[in-house]
Amino acid sequence: MAVRAVRGAVQLERDEAGHMEEQVGALLTAVLERNGLTADDLISIWFTATPDLHSDFPAAAARKLGIVDVPLICAQELAVEGAMPRVVRILAHIESDRPRADISHVYLGAAAALRKDIAQ
């Protein structure tokens, strides 16, 4: 098996813990489903959140999905003027037999505008 990386992002409508859990959970679920993965295929996940999000840790959504024995870390995204607000990004390291070109990166809703080149 090869080690691969999967990118993704979602823009939240508001900074509320329950909404973050729902939207980040949907992002993680989509990443797993679109790439034919289970939690056992995950090596680690990096989460970043824009500076305007502070109601909860995005990684908490992964734990609620049952991803409990995978290393997770959260960090704050750079505060770049004019950047899309209320965005959670992920970088998941996985084990997969898929070629790099077949990895599906997932950008949900308005976040698809962030990476039109790789958004599925």
Side-chain angles (χ1 to χ4, degrees):
M1 286 245 186
V3 174
R4 301 283 184 226
V6 183
R7 293 282 316 269
V10 63
Q11 183 183 39
L12 305 185
E13 294 175 16
R14 59 194 174 280
D15 183 26
E16 293 176 2
H19 181 61
M20 181 181 291
E21 178 185 328
E22 174 186 303
Q23 294 300 303
V24 174
L27 175 62
L28 291 170
T29 298
V31 165
L32 293 173
E33 288 176 356
R34 292 183 193 180
N35 288 287
L37 301 169
T38 68
D40 286 340
D41 300 316
L42 297 170
I43 297 169
S44 64
I45 306 174
W46 279 81
F47 295 86
T48 65
T50 51
D52 51 1
L53 294 175
H54 45 78
S55 62
D56 202 359
F57 295 100
R63 299 295 186 219
K64 296 231 170 122
L65 284 177
I67 301 172
V68 295
D69 61 350
V70 174
L72 309 175
I73 193 164
C74 297
Q76 188 175 74
E77 190 71 36
L78 294 173
V80 175
E81 189 169 328
M84 185 179 286
R86 300 177 317 281
V87 175
V88 174
R89 292 172 172 85
I90 66 162
L91 174 63
H93 300 96
I94 63 168
E95 292 182 324
S96 176
D97 287 329
R98 288 180 183 224
R100 188 175 303 174
D102 290 347
I103 297 295
S104 293
H105 304 282
V106 180
Y107 290 77
L108 299 179
L114 295 171
R115 291 298 305 265
K116 292 179 183 178
D117 57 326
I118 63 172
Q120 301 291 319

